[in-house]
């Protein structure tokens, strides 16, 4: 399975930290957000990822070129115009192929309990293209560190997902999904949000959810959330960088 890493945003809420570096290259407890994202993909068995770039894209390219990470990186260049989450994926489709792929936000990550099955591998095993257009990873709000927003989804007993609305017992979207590329058929690589595909899949009963287990989920949006995440990592422990062993 290949992956799409959404990494082209401006990170405006994280200023002044992002005035001179793109948000995915912000260091969190000594490791960049982008590298943490690639670590998770590597743990889940993904070996090829497309990373889109726009803001301070030359830094992203330099980082990718210097990386010794076992996940092979291909750049999808949006230097001319940022395309948002939906448009960015549509532009990258020729690089992603025709099979279902993982989509990850580059400003979120999780730390799994030692010995747990990697979350990406769990998602891949759960995804059923016959029933699902999209499988989203959701997190209980008490495990979401740095999150200051509301709930995003509720998940029914059969795994089908609806928008949370006014619900009080829902989940936070954890910035990860498996997507069937067929849902983008006919779409143009112009700025638009991935949310419209969520809504279409909900309407057709083909959006499903999987709960993050045995892990804390972290999101970086503001300098305050960065401090909160780093403090939590110091208290609860961090994951080591993923190293692929071919032996």
């Amino acid at each position: 399975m290949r992956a799409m890493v959404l990494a082209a945003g401006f990170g405006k809420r994280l200023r002044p930290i992002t005035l001179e570096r793109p948000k995915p290259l912000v260091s969190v407890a000594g490791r960049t957000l982008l590298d943490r994202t690639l670590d998770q993909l590597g743990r889940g068995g993904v070996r090829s990822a497309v990373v889109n770039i726009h803001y301070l894209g030359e830094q992203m390219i330099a980082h990718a070129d210097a990386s010794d990470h076992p996940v092979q990186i291909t750049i999808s260049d949006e230097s001319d115009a940022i395309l948002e989450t939906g448009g960015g994926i549509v532009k990258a489709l020729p690089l992603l192929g025709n099979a279902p792929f993982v989509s990850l936000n580059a400003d979120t990550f999780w730390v799994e309990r030692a010995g747990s099955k990697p979350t990406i591998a769990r998602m891949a095993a759960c995804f059923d293209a016959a029933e699902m257009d999209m499988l989203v990873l959701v997190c209980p709000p008490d495990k979401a560190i740095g999150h200051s927003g509301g709930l995003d989804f509720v998940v029914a007993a059969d795994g089908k997902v609806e928008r949370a609305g006014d619900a009080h017992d829902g989940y936070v979207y954890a910035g990860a999904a498996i997507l069937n590329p067929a849902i983008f058929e006919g779409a143009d690589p112009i700025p638009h949000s991935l949310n419209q595909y969520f809504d279409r899949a909900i309407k057709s009963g083909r959006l499903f959810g999987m709960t993050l287990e045995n892990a804390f989920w972290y999101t970086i949006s503001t300098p305050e959330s960065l401090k909160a995440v780093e403090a939590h990592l110091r208290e609860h422990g961090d994951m080591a960088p993923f190293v692929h062993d071919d032996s």
Side-chain angles (χ1 to χ4, degrees), residues 22-246:
K23 189 176 182 181
L25 298 188
V26 170
S27 178
V28 181
R31 191 153 180 82
T32 70
L33 282 165
L34 178 60
D35 287 331
R36 289 179 177 276
T37 299
L38 295 171
D39 287 343
Q40 289 169 167
L41 291 172
R43 277 188 172 82
V46 176
R47 296 289 176 264
S48 176
V50 178
V51 178
N52 67 339
I53 63 169
H54 177 76
Y55 176 64
L56 299 177
E58 68 282 356
Q59 292 186 34
M60 296 285 289
I61 293 172
H63 187 86
D65 288 343
S67 175
D68 60 356
H69 206 283
V71 178
Q72 181 181 358
I73 301 171
T74 302
I75 296 294
S76 180
D77 193 343
E78 298 176 21
S79 296
D80 291 340
I82 193 167
L83 298 174
E84 302 179 29
T85 51
I89 291 176
V90 172
K91 178 180 173 62
L93 285 176
L95 303 172
L96 291 165
N98 297 320
F101 60 90
V102 183
S103 171
L104 284 179
N105 294 347
D107 57 357
T108 65
F109 64 97
W110 53 85
V111 174
E112 296 157 338
R113 186 180 303 165
S116 300
K117 183 175 181 178
T119 299
I120 296 296
R122 287 181 57 229
M123 293 179 69
C126 180
F127 186 80
D128 181 358
E131 293 188 4
M132 306 175 185
D133 286 339
M134 311 171 78
L135 174 68
V136 294
L137 183 67
V138 296
C139 176
D142 62 337
K143 299 294 185 182
I145 312 303
H147 180 67
S148 59
L151 302 175
D152 297 306
F153 297 118
V154 292
V155 182
D158 62 359
K160 291 185 179 181
V161 167
E162 297 279 352
R163 293 285 185 182
D166 296 328
H168 300 290
D169 58 350
Y171 295 90
V172 176
Y173 173 52
I178 294 182
L179 312 178
N180 187 334
I183 66 176
F184 301 101
E185 184 176 356
D188 294 319
I190 58 176
H192 65 281
S193 173
L194 192 58
N195 275 304
Q196 69 183 55
Y197 301 95
F198 289 158
D199 291 336
R200 286 181 196 170
I202 289 171
K203 187 174 182 180
S204 62
R206 293 181 61 84
L207 181 65
F208 284 72
M210 191 189 82
T211 306
L212 181 66
E213 297 178 352
N214 300 315
F216 287 106
W217 177 75
Y218 300 93
T219 180
I220 309 296
S221 57
T222 65
E224 292 73 24
S225 66
L226 176 57
K227 292 177 183 178
V229 165
E230 291 189 316
H232 194 273
L233 289 171
R234 286 193 296 269
E235 180 180 356
H236 293 273
D238 199 353
M239 62 180 176
F242 174 78
V243 177
H244 180 49
D245 184 0
D246 288 314

